[in-house]
Amino acid sequence: MTSKIEKINTYNESSLHNTLKLLYAQKYNGKTEISADGHIYDILCGDGQVIEIQTKNLSKLASKLSDAIEKGHKVRLVYPLVYRTRIILTDSQGKVVSNRLSPKKGNIYDIFREITGLVNLLLNPAFTLEVVTINMIEHRVRTDDNVQTKNKSRRYRRNWLKVNKRLDEILETRTFKKARDYTALLPEGLPQEFCAKDIAKTEPALSRYAHLILWVLVRIPVIEQTEVKNKSRYYKIL
C-alpha cells in the first residue's frame, strides 16, 4: 500500500527523528515520549497504539516491540528510507563551505538489511512496518583536525563531523503488514520455483540483494524452500 505525501517545510529546522515524531503524533493523535510498561515510547496513542520512529538499526528494537505487543499494544514501526541526501558542510562559524547532493541513492530493497532481526514480528497481526521514503539534509561541520566519531565508527579520521539530519521531503510511504506486502517485492516474471540467480536474471538491479531477500522472506516466512539443485536453493511463494 502506498501513498504520496506533499513536501514538508514546517519542521525543516528539526532533526529527522523529532520531525517524524511530531508528524506521526499529530496524524495518530498521540503523545510523545511516554513512559509505560517499563519503556519510553516515541508515541503512545489514545487507542493504545505504540509508534516507534527508528532511522537505522531496526533490529535493536525487537525486544521492546515484542514486549509492547505482549502488553496488548498494536505497534507501528516507522523507518525513514533515504532516497537522496543533500550534504551541507559549514565551518565552525556557520559559513557554508559546500552544498552538494550525495551520489548515493537508496531504494526499497535496502530495508532487507534492516529487518533481519525482526523476522519473527513482521507477520504478527499487531505489528505494522511503515517505510517512509524521504530526501534528507545532512549537516556537517568542518573541524581543524581529522577526528573520529563518538561511536568510533570511522575507519579513517576525517576533518568533519555530522551534527544533524533534517527532513527535506517525504516522497512516499509504503506499509508492510501482510505476506503479500513482502512478496510484492519479488520481481515479476519469476518462475513458480525460483532461486537467487532467477531474481538476478529477471531484475539485474537486484543481483546484490537476491540472497538477502530470500534469506529474509523464508524466515518471515512468506516463501518456503522446495529443493536444492546444482548447489542453488529453490523457493516458492506460500
Side-chain angles (χ1 to χ4, degrees):
M1 175 177 144
T2 60
S3 61
K4 296 288 183 181
I5 302 179
E6 296 179 356
K7 185 167 183 177
I8 304 298
N9 292 316
T10 308
Y11 302 109
N12 265 357
E13 297 305 315
S14 304
S15 72
L16 173 60
H17 183 273
N18 286 338
T19 297
L20 291 173
K21 187 165 59 176
L22 291 171
L23 286 172
Y24 274 84
Q26 183 181 44
K27 180 178 179 179
Y28 289 97
N29 192 28
K31 296 181 178 180
T32 62
E33 300 299 318
I34 298 299
S35 180
D37 310 320
H39 304 289
I40 297 178
Y41 295 126
D42 280 342
I43 303 168
L44 184 59
C45 305
D47 61 0
Q49 179 181 201
V50 166
I51 302 176
E52 288 289 319
I53 315 291
Q54 188 77 356
T55 60
K56 60 181 179 179
N57 300 325
L58 301 190
S59 297
K60 287 186 176 181
L61 286 182
S63 178
K64 180 181 183 180
L65 300 181
S66 295
D67 188 58
I69 290 173
E70 288 179 7
K71 297 292 196 306
H73 298 284
K74 289 186 177 180
V75 170
R76 182 177 299 270
L77 176 58
V78 178
Y79 172 57
L81 175 66
V82 180
Y83 174 64
R84 292 299 300 267
T85 300
R86 177 167 294 280
I87 300 171
I88 298 177
L89 176 66
T90 66
D91 62 21
S92 59
Q93 304 303 312
K95 182 180 178 180
V96 175
V97 176
S98 68
N99 183 333
R100 63 181 178 85
L101 278 175
S102 169
K104 295 181 180 179
K105 290 184 179 180
N107 69 73
I108 192 63
Y109 294 94
D110 292 332
I111 68 169
F112 285 100
R113 297 191 183 98
E114 293 288 342
I115 62 176
T116 55
L118 299 176
V119 289
N120 293 330
L121 281 176
L122 297 179
L123 291 188
N124 189 304
F127 179 82
T128 300
L129 172 64
E130 189 163 322
V131 179
V132 187
T133 303
I134 68 168
N135 287 335
M136 181 181 78
I137 297 172
E138 181 179 297
H139 183 197
R140 300 174 179 178
V141 173
R142 179 78 78 197
T143 57
D144 293 331
D145 301 308
N146 290 348
V147 295
Q148 178 59 274
T149 58
K150 289 183 178 180
N151 62 4
K152 311 294 183 184
S153 61
R154 285 180 173 168
R155 185 174 181 182
Y156 303 106
R157 295 173 183 264
R158 297 181 180 179
N159 64 341
W160 56 265
L161 284 172
K162 186 190 306 181
V163 296
N164 197 14
K165 295 184 294 184
R166 293 189 285 127
L167 176 65
D168 180 36
E169 185 179 11
I170 293 179
L171 303 174
E172 182 184 62
T173 65
R174 186 162 182 164
T175 301
F176 294 85
K177 189 172 182 64
K178 299 181 182 297
R180 63 175 176 268
D181 299 324
Y182 293 97
T183 56
L185 293 175
L186 291 168
E188 295 183 2
L190 285 176
Q192 187 173 357
E193 294 188 1
F194 52 88
C195 64
K197 291 178 181 178
D198 291 319
I199 292 176
K201 181 179 179 181
T202 305
E203 185 56 70
L206 298 184
S207 58
R208 64 192 177 105
Y209 297 98
H211 288 284
L212 180 59
I213 290 171
L214 294 175
W215 188 96
V216 171
L217 294 185
V218 80
R219 285 166 174 79
I220 293 178
V222 294
I223 63 173
E224 66 177 1
Q225 183 176 319
T226 57
E227 63 176 335
V228 178
K229 183 169 59 178
N230 297 327
K231 296 183 179 180
S232 293
R233 291 184 173 88
Y234 282 77
Y235 302 87
K236 68 176 182 179
I237 296 174
L238 290 171

